[in-house]
Amino acid sequence: MALTIDGKAIAKQIRQEVKSGVAALLQEKARIPKIVAVEIGHDDASESYTRNQARTAERLGIHHRLDSLPADAPFSAVKEHLNDLAADPKVTGIMLQMPLPSHLDESACRAQIPLALDVEAVTPEAAGRVLQNTHTVAPCTAMAAMLCLESACPEGLSGLTVAIVGRSGIVGRPLAMLLLHANATPIICHTRTKDLASTLRSADVVIAAAGRPNLVTGDMVSNGAIAIDVGTNWIESENRLVGDMDFEGVAAKASAITPVPGGVGPVTVAVLMRNALILAQ
Ligand code: NAP
């Protein structure tokens, strides 16, 4: 049976470091991190994520504010709001809550956030920095998956073949870059990948970030592989959160696995707080 990677413990350690960092800024009378989350319209899932962020920020001494714009806000209004936030010297980080209403272009909106305030590392400039390995902060979920993986690999990731299921701009792609910088060999899989099962079986590590419950089953991972489940899928009929992996089946083959909930999720929020501290510093 696989070792369960304790995301809550990893997150706790990061939060402690952030709390000390914020306390040090207070003592130096330096600028305290202040994150402003901007939501356009309303989304229930996004609301619970924002509430969780606000609670965590408060515990660490980080200022957090939610600005709400109406669902029909035109691009010009979003741009103006983001530009006003960028001009406020007290604001050290800006987040744009997803999903956006369909009339707004995600990349165009994100591109309004200056690199120095891009706490989630989602702007084109931040993506370029990650590509070049010159970033100061990385996309939170991709970094959280890295930290969970590193916790199960005390000898480092060098030489490991890592198959990632998912190629989104916030998870799969930046994660592949972070892995490459750590001298691993990433394979990015997606819906057009031929024979996903044999590709995953060829890897030392499988990371699922597809948003499909039970996509990765025990027969798709090799004996002793490390399994990182990024997926968060709410199953309404069962009133519970599940990942992209069949936990029992994969855990029976893997040497280590992240649970859902309690794996990558809590680490993601902690990484966001760490990013906020780094940008304020
Ligand atoms: P996304 O933008 O929807 O991307 C999903 C990716 O998975 C796409 O690249 C898609 O391939 C691929 N995919 C979907 N079904 C597949 C299949 N059957 N076989 C192979 N590839 C498949 O999702 P995302 O934003 O990256 O998020 C991925 C998951 O992570 C979601 O469950 C999300 O809720 C979760 N998430 C968790 C956290 C956290 O803190 N734990 C944070 C963010 C996201 P194509 O490109 O070919 O369509």
Short mmCIF file of all heavy atoms in Angstrom, two decimals, residues 138-176:
data_model
loop_
_atom_site.label_atom_id
_atom_site.label_comp_id
_atom_site.label_asym_id
_atom_site.label_seq_id
_atom_site.Cartn_x
_atom_site.Cartn_y
_atom_site.Cartn_z
N ALA A 138 5.74 31.01 -9.18
CA ALA A 138 5.22 30.13 -10.23
C ALA A 138 3.73 29.90 -9.99
O ALA A 138 3.24 30.14 -8.88
CB ALA A 138 5.98 28.80 -10.20
N PRO A 139 3.00 29.42 -11.00
CA PRO A 139 1.58 29.14 -10.80
C PRO A 139 1.38 28.20 -9.60
O PRO A 139 2.07 27.18 -9.47
CB PRO A 139 1.16 28.46 -12.12
CG PRO A 139 2.10 29.05 -13.13
CD PRO A 139 3.41 29.19 -12.40
N CYS A 140 0.43 28.60 -8.75
CA CYS A 140 0.30 27.95 -7.42
C CYS A 140 0.07 26.44 -7.48
O CYS A 140 0.70 25.68 -6.73
CB CYS A 140 -0.84 28.60 -6.65
SG CYS A 140 -0.71 30.37 -6.57
N THR A 141 -0.83 25.98 -8.35
CA THR A 141 -1.14 24.55 -8.36
C THR A 141 0.02 23.74 -8.91
O THR A 141 0.34 22.66 -8.41
CB THR A 141 -2.42 24.28 -9.18
OG1 THR A 141 -3.43 25.17 -8.72
CG2 THR A 141 -2.88 22.87 -9.04
N ALA A 142 0.67 24.28 -9.95
CA ALA A 142 1.83 23.57 -10.52
C ALA A 142 2.93 23.45 -9.46
O ALA A 142 3.52 22.38 -9.27
CB ALA A 142 2.33 24.33 -11.76
N MET A 143 3.17 24.56 -8.74
CA MET A 143 4.19 24.52 -7.69
C MET A 143 3.79 23.58 -6.55
O MET A 143 4.61 22.85 -6.01
CB MET A 143 4.44 25.95 -7.17
CG MET A 143 5.48 26.05 -6.08
SD MET A 143 7.06 25.28 -6.54
CE MET A 143 7.82 26.58 -7.50
N ALA A 144 2.49 23.57 -6.23
CA ALA A 144 2.00 22.69 -5.16
C ALA A 144 2.23 21.22 -5.54
O ALA A 144 2.66 20.41 -4.71
CB ALA A 144 0.52 22.95 -4.89
N ALA A 145 1.98 20.88 -6.81
CA ALA A 145 2.21 19.49 -7.25
C ALA A 145 3.70 19.16 -7.15
O ALA A 145 4.07 18.05 -6.73
CB ALA A 145 1.71 19.33 -8.69
N MET A 146 4.56 20.13 -7.50
CA MET A 146 6.01 19.92 -7.39
C MET A 146 6.40 19.64 -5.94
O MET A 146 7.19 18.74 -5.66
CB MET A 146 6.77 21.18 -7.85
CG MET A 146 6.92 21.35 -9.32
SD MET A 146 7.91 20.06 -10.10
CE MET A 146 9.57 20.58 -9.71
N LEU A 147 5.86 20.45 -5.02
CA LEU A 147 6.24 20.30 -3.61
C LEU A 147 5.77 18.96 -3.05
O LEU A 147 6.49 18.31 -2.28
CB LEU A 147 5.68 21.46 -2.78
CG LEU A 147 6.28 22.84 -3.13
CD1 LEU A 147 5.53 23.95 -2.40
CD2 LEU A 147 7.76 22.90 -2.80
N CYS A 148 4.57 18.53 -3.47
CA CYS A 148 4.08 17.21 -3.02
C CYS A 148 5.00 16.12 -3.56
O CYS A 148 5.36 15.18 -2.85
CB CYS A 148 2.65 16.98 -3.51
SG CYS A 148 1.44 17.98 -2.63
N LEU A 149 5.37 16.25 -4.83
CA LEU A 149 6.24 15.25 -5.45
C LEU A 149 7.62 15.23 -4.77
O LEU A 149 8.13 14.16 -4.42
CB LEU A 149 6.38 15.54 -6.95
CG LEU A 149 7.33 14.65 -7.74
CD1 LEU A 149 6.95 13.18 -7.61
CD2 LEU A 149 7.35 15.06 -9.22
N GLU A 150 8.17 16.42 -4.55
CA GLU A 150 9.50 16.49 -3.92
C GLU A 150 9.49 15.86 -2.52
O GLU A 150 10.48 15.25 -2.11
CB GLU A 150 9.95 17.96 -3.83
CG GLU A 150 10.47 18.46 -5.17
CD GLU A 150 10.67 19.97 -5.23
OE1 GLU A 150 10.33 20.67 -4.26
OE2 GLU A 150 11.16 20.45 -6.26
N SER A 151 8.36 16.00 -1.83
CA SER A 151 8.30 15.44 -0.48
C SER A 151 8.40 13.91 -0.51
O SER A 151 8.80 13.29 0.47
CB SER A 151 7.01 15.87 0.23
OG SER A 151 5.93 15.10 -0.24
N ALA A 152 8.04 13.32 -1.65
CA ALA A 152 8.11 11.85 -1.76
C ALA A 152 9.41 11.40 -2.42
O ALA A 152 9.62 10.20 -2.61
CB ALA A 152 6.91 11.35 -2.57
N CYS A 153 10.25 12.36 -2.81
CA CYS A 153 11.51 12.03 -3.52
C CYS A 153 12.70 12.69 -2.83
O CYS A 153 13.23 13.69 -3.35
CB CYS A 153 11.45 12.54 -4.96
SG CYS A 153 10.19 11.82 -5.96
N PRO A 154 13.11 12.20 -1.67
CA PRO A 154 14.20 12.87 -0.96
C PRO A 154 15.49 12.95 -1.78
O PRO A 154 16.33 13.82 -1.53
CB PRO A 154 14.38 12.02 0.30
CG PRO A 154 13.58 10.78 0.10
CD PRO A 154 12.58 11.03 -0.98
N GLU A 155 15.63 12.06 -2.76
CA GLU A 155 16.86 12.10 -3.56
C GLU A 155 16.74 13.01 -4.78
O GLU A 155 17.64 13.07 -5.62
CB GLU A 155 17.26 10.69 -3.99
CG GLU A 155 17.96 9.98 -2.83
CD GLU A 155 17.95 8.49 -2.97
OE1 GLU A 155 17.95 7.98 -4.11
OE2 GLU A 155 17.94 7.81 -1.92
N GLY A 156 15.64 13.73 -4.89
CA GLY A 156 15.46 14.68 -5.99
C GLY A 156 14.75 14.06 -7.18
O GLY A 156 14.51 12.85 -7.23
N LEU A 157 14.43 14.90 -8.15
CA LEU A 157 13.63 14.46 -9.29
C LEU A 157 14.48 14.16 -10.52
O LEU A 157 13.95 13.72 -11.55
CB LEU A 157 12.60 15.54 -9.65
CG LEU A 157 11.74 16.10 -8.51
CD1 LEU A 157 10.68 17.04 -9.07
CD2 LEU A 157 11.08 14.98 -7.74
N SER A 158 15.77 14.42 -10.42
CA SER A 158 16.65 14.26 -11.58
C SER A 158 16.53 12.85 -12.18
O SER A 158 16.63 11.85 -11.47
CB SER A 158 18.09 14.53 -11.15
OG SER A 158 18.93 14.41 -12.27
N GLY A 159 16.28 12.81 -13.48
CA GLY A 159 16.23 11.53 -14.19
C GLY A 159 14.88 10.85 -14.19
O GLY A 159 14.68 9.89 -14.94
N LEU A 160 13.94 11.33 -13.38
CA LEU A 160 12.63 10.66 -13.33
C LEU A 160 11.79 10.99 -14.56
O LEU A 160 11.79 12.13 -15.03
CB LEU A 160 11.85 11.09 -12.08
CG LEU A 160 12.40 10.68 -10.72
CD1 LEU A 160 11.49 11.20 -9.61
CD2 LEU A 160 12.55 9.17 -10.62
N THR A 161 11.09 10.01 -15.07
CA THR A 161 10.13 10.25 -16.15
C THR A 161 8.78 10.54 -15.50
O THR A 161 8.30 9.76 -14.67
CB THR A 161 10.02 9.01 -17.06
OG1 THR A 161 11.32 8.72 -17.57
CG2 THR A 161 9.06 9.26 -18.21
N VAL A 162 8.21 11.69 -15.84
CA VAL A 162 6.97 12.13 -15.19
C VAL A 162 5.89 12.35 -16.25
O VAL A 162 6.04 13.20 -17.12
CB VAL A 162 7.19 13.45 -14.42
CG1 VAL A 162 5.92 13.86 -13.68
CG2 VAL A 162 8.36 13.33 -13.45
N ALA A 163 4.83 11.56 -16.20
CA ALA A 163 3.72 11.75 -17.14
C ALA A 163 2.66 12.61 -16.49
O ALA A 163 2.18 12.30 -15.40
CB ALA A 163 3.15 10.40 -17.54
N ILE A 164 2.32 13.72 -17.16
CA ILE A 164 1.29 14.64 -16.65
C ILE A 164 0.07 14.48 -17.55
O ILE A 164 0.20 14.53 -18.78
CB ILE A 164 1.77 16.10 -16.77
CG1 ILE A 164 3.12 16.31 -16.11
CG2 ILE A 164 0.73 17.07 -16.20
CD1 ILE A 164 3.81 17.61 -16.54
N VAL A 165 -1.10 14.30 -16.96
CA VAL A 165 -2.32 14.28 -17.77
C VAL A 165 -2.96 15.66 -17.65
O VAL A 165 -3.42 16.04 -16.57
CB VAL A 165 -3.32 13.20 -17.31
CG1 VAL A 165 -4.43 13.05 -18.33
CG2 VAL A 165 -2.62 11.87 -17.08
N GLY A 166 -2.94 16.41 -18.73
CA GLY A 166 -3.48 17.78 -18.73
C GLY A 166 -2.43 18.76 -19.23
O GLY A 166 -1.27 18.67 -18.82
N ARG A 167 -2.87 19.69 -20.10
CA ARG A 167 -1.91 20.64 -20.68
C ARG A 167 -2.41 22.07 -20.54
O ARG A 167 -2.16 22.92 -21.39
CB ARG A 167 -1.69 20.31 -22.16
CG ARG A 167 -2.97 20.28 -22.98
CD ARG A 167 -2.69 20.08 -24.45
NE ARG A 167 -3.89 19.66 -25.16
CZ ARG A 167 -3.95 19.44 -26.46
NH1 ARG A 167 -2.88 19.58 -27.20
NH2 ARG A 167 -5.07 19.07 -27.04
N SER A 168 -3.14 22.35 -19.45
CA SER A 168 -3.67 23.72 -19.29
C SER A 168 -2.52 24.68 -18.97
O SER A 168 -1.46 24.28 -18.49
CB SER A 168 -4.71 23.77 -18.17
OG SER A 168 -4.09 23.69 -16.92
N GLY A 169 -2.79 25.96 -19.22
CA GLY A 169 -1.78 26.99 -19.00
C GLY A 169 -1.50 27.23 -17.52
O GLY A 169 -0.45 27.78 -17.18
N ILE A 170 -2.41 26.82 -16.63
CA ILE A 170 -2.16 27.06 -15.20
C ILE A 170 -1.62 25.84 -14.47
O ILE A 170 -1.09 25.96 -13.38
CB ILE A 170 -3.40 27.61 -14.46
CG1 ILE A 170 -4.58 26.64 -14.56
CG2 ILE A 170 -3.79 28.99 -14.93
CD1 ILE A 170 -5.59 26.83 -13.44
N VAL A 171 -1.79 24.65 -15.06
CA VAL A 171 -1.28 23.46 -14.35
C VAL A 171 -0.30 22.66 -15.23
O VAL A 171 0.92 22.69 -15.01
CB VAL A 171 -2.42 22.52 -13.85
CG1 VAL A 171 -1.83 21.45 -12.93
CG2 VAL A 171 -3.51 23.27 -13.12
N GLY A 172 -0.82 21.94 -16.23
CA GLY A 172 0.02 20.99 -16.97
C GLY A 172 1.28 21.59 -17.59
O GLY A 172 2.38 21.07 -17.40
N ARG A 173 1.10 22.68 -18.31
CA ARG A 173 2.26 23.25 -19.02
C ARG A 173 3.32 23.84 -18.10
O ARG A 173 4.50 23.50 -18.23
CB ARG A 173 1.80 24.27 -20.05
CG ARG A 173 1.42 23.58 -21.36
CD ARG A 173 1.09 24.57 -22.41
NE ARG A 173 -0.36 24.66 -22.52
CZ ARG A 173 -0.97 25.40 -23.42
NH1 ARG A 173 -0.27 26.13 -24.25
NH2 ARG A 173 -2.28 25.41 -23.50
N PRO A 174 2.93 24.73 -17.12
CA PRO A 174 3.98 25.22 -16.23
C PRO A 174 4.62 24.11 -15.41
O PRO A 174 5.83 24.13 -15.15
CB PRO A 174 3.25 26.23 -15.32
CG PRO A 174 1.80 26.01 -15.53
CD PRO A 174 1.64 25.40 -16.87
N LEU A 175 3.83 23.10 -15.05
CA LEU A 175 4.37 21.98 -14.28
C LEU A 175 5.45 21.25 -15.09
O LEU A 175 6.51 20.89 -14.56
CB LEU A 175 3.22 21.04 -13.92
CG LEU A 175 3.52 19.82 -13.08
CD1 LEU A 175 4.27 20.18 -11.81
CD2 LEU A 175 2.21 19.12 -12.71
N ALA A 176 5.21 21.08 -16.38
CA ALA A 176 6.20 20.42 -17.23
C ALA A 176 7.51 21.22 -17.23
O ALA A 176 8.61 20.64 -17.19
CB ALA A 176 5.66 20.28 -18.65
#
